[in-house]
């Protein structure tokens, strides 16, 4: 997280295909990094808990094209920025591509492609991050250096649930339902994943009507409506998904959270 918008991570790669995390990306505001062959060793501030930051290995970064072809861009990207905020319902990011050999010239990137990102613990297959739902929605103008002939452009992406939300206008009415029931129903309109929730214990006795706005905005409103003097409710997406199992053994996967900031703090202090 940055000091202002809680940016989750900024990764940079040199022309020798190495990653380097920007000093501005430190959660505590003071962090330096060393790197070796796609491994980032984050030197953490002593005040940062052990579950924040660490060493990981970039296993895969690729683009799934609209025609079904998959392009490995591990040797082409020079900068990766992912933004996450508890005040934003979806993550967003920017990927800088640098191509000196013209290897990407034959591929046309025009939006709608899927960015695949996989990071694991060093020397193991223990997955830290595995996202295959990041959708390209904007591409910057391509610039070419007249001296080195280095081609450079930026790809902007967000999560698939955000794209699904923007595509949908929700016309629905809720009465005598709890806020939690409404949130779960609305969330299913844009994602098949699970949702971590906290019940605000509010019943919609008067009709609550969604008049054609996106599902994300409706849930944002319900989060605001759930706020009390003692609890501040938010709806946001995590960059690092949470995996697990329900008590009956069925798998559980989520990247979104609807609940109070106080519960997040309480859970963090007890972990």
């Amino acid at each position: 997280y940055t000091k202002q918008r809680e940016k989750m991570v900024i990764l940079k790669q040199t022309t020798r295909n190495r990653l380097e995390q920007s000093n501005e990306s430190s959660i505590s505001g003071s962090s330096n990094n060393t790197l070796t062959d796609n491994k980032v060793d984050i030197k953490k501030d002593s005040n940062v808990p052990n579950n924040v930051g660490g060493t990981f290995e970039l296993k895969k970064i690729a683009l799934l094209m609209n025609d079904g072809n998959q392009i490995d861009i591990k040797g082409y990207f020079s900068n990766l920025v992912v933004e996450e905020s508890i005040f934003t319902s979806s993550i967003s990011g920017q990927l800088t591509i640098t191509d000196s050999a013209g290897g990407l010239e034959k591929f046309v990137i025009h939006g709608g492609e899927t960015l695949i990102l996989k990071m694991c613990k060093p020397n193991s297959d223990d997955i830290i991050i595995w996202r295959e739902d990041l959708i390209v929605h904007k591409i910057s103008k391509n610039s070419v250096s007249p001296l080195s002939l280095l081609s450079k452009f930026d790809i902007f992406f967000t999560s698939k649930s955000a794209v699904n939300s923007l595509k949908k206008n929700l016309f629905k009415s809720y009465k005598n339902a709890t806020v939690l029931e409404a949130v779960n129903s609305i969330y299913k309109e844009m994602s098949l994943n699970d949702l971590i929730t906290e019940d605000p214990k509010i019943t919609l006795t008067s009709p609550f009507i969604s008049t054609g706005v996106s599902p994300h905005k409706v849930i944002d409103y319900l989060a605001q409506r759930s706020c009390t003097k003692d609890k501040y409710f938010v709806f946001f997406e995590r960059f690092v998904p949470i995996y697990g199992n329900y008590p009956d053994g069925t798998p559980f996967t989520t990247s979104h959270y609807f609940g109070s900031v106080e519960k997040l703090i309480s859970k963090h202090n007890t972990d």
Side-chain angles (χ1 to χ4, degrees), residues 78-169:
S78 60
N79 190 58
L80 172 64
V81 179
V82 179
E83 298 184 16
E84 174 194 288
S85 170
I86 63 172
F87 305 110
T88 306
S89 59
S90 59
I91 61 171
S92 61
Q94 177 180 344
L95 180 71
T96 302
I97 300 292
T98 54
D99 184 8
S100 59
L104 296 178
E105 287 183 354
K106 61 181 179 180
F107 300 103
V108 179
I109 303 172
H110 52 74
E113 295 81 8
T114 300
L115 176 65
I116 301 172
L117 187 64
K118 184 178 181 181
M119 297 177 180
C120 298
K121 292 180 180 179
N123 303 316
S124 77
D125 291 324
D126 293 340
I127 299 171
I128 300 174
I129 299 172
W130 191 353
R131 299 291 297 247
E132 294 187 345
D133 63 335
L134 305 174
I135 307 299
V136 176
H137 65 86
K138 181 181 176 183
I139 303 98
S140 71
K141 185 178 180 181
N142 187 12
S143 62
V144 180
S145 171
L147 297 178
S148 63
L149 298 180
L150 183 71
S151 175
K152 183 177 179 180
F153 60 94
D154 294 316
I155 293 173
F156 300 87
F157 60 88
T158 187
S159 64
K160 188 174 183 178
S161 67
V163 174
N164 290 341
S165 177
L166 289 171
K167 288 181 177 179
K168 190 172 185 65
N169 297 322

